[in-house]
Amino acid sequence: MAKEQTEVRDLQEGNYVMIDDAPCKINAYSTAKPGKHGSAKARIEAVGVFDEKKRSLSQPVDQKIWVPIVDRKQGQVVSIESDTVAQVMDLDTYETVTMQIPADLDLSPDENIEYLEFEGQRKILE
């Protein structure tokens, strides 16, 4: 498994967190002060890295939470199969994989790109 545990209080905006078994990037993080009968709570708003779904989470700040280890890798576009699919070669392992092209991105063969990878899921960065 490419994930580790950390306390909710250690999270920040821009970090990754697992919500509903999906890796998400934190957009907003806020805490509420401890009350008379409870501990401080954190509210996390995040967007799925691979599916772009908005998710939110409310947890006590001393609770443990899973944080995915998302790899940022370099690749080179080998070929464009269609308007939405490209063959990309990893520049470290020379492995060739098929990836979806984001809608607002225009790629050409031999172009160097950056992409994210987590447990077999891959996404080209804009």
Side-chain angles (χ1 to χ4, degrees):
M1 287 283 209
K3 55 187 176 179
E4 61 188 15
Q5 272 194 326
T6 188
E7 286 190 353
V8 173
R9 70 170 47 100
D10 297 332
L11 297 175
Q12 302 174 20
E13 288 182 19
N15 286 8
Y16 295 107
V17 67
M18 294 293 285
I19 301 177
D20 300 333
D21 291 328
C24 300
K25 187 170 185 174
I26 298 173
N27 288 341
Y29 177 87
S30 60
T31 56
K33 292 183 180 180
K36 190 173 180 181
H37 300 288
S39 62
K41 292 215 189 297
R43 179 159 175 76
I44 301 167
E45 304 227 355
V47 174
V49 174
F50 299 106
D51 60 4
E52 303 292 328
K53 286 185 183 176
K54 290 185 180 182
R55 296 177 171 90
S56 63
L57 180 70
S58 182
Q59 295 274 335
V61 294
D62 57 351
Q63 180 96 19
K64 294 270 189 191
I65 193 163
W66 287 105
V67 175
I69 300 170
V70 179
D71 295 326
R72 187 177 288 254
K73 295 187 172 187
Q74 299 292 322
Q76 183 177 20
V77 178
V78 177
S79 67
I80 307 292
E81 292 184 356
S82 69
D83 291 341
T84 60
V85 178
Q87 285 281 333
V88 177
M89 178 181 67
D90 187 305
L91 292 178
D92 292 331
T93 63
Y94 303 110
E95 172 188 11
T96 304
V97 293
T98 304
M99 288 191 225
Q100 293 288 327
I101 300 173
D104 55 347
L105 192 63
D106 188 30
L107 293 178
S108 59
D110 297 330
E111 186 175 342
N112 288 342
I113 59 161
E114 207 170 19
Y115 68 94
L116 298 176
E117 181 178 42
F118 175 73
E119 293 184 349
Q121 295 178 307
R122 295 175 182 90
K123 177 185 176 184
I124 297 175
L125 294 176
E126 285 120 32

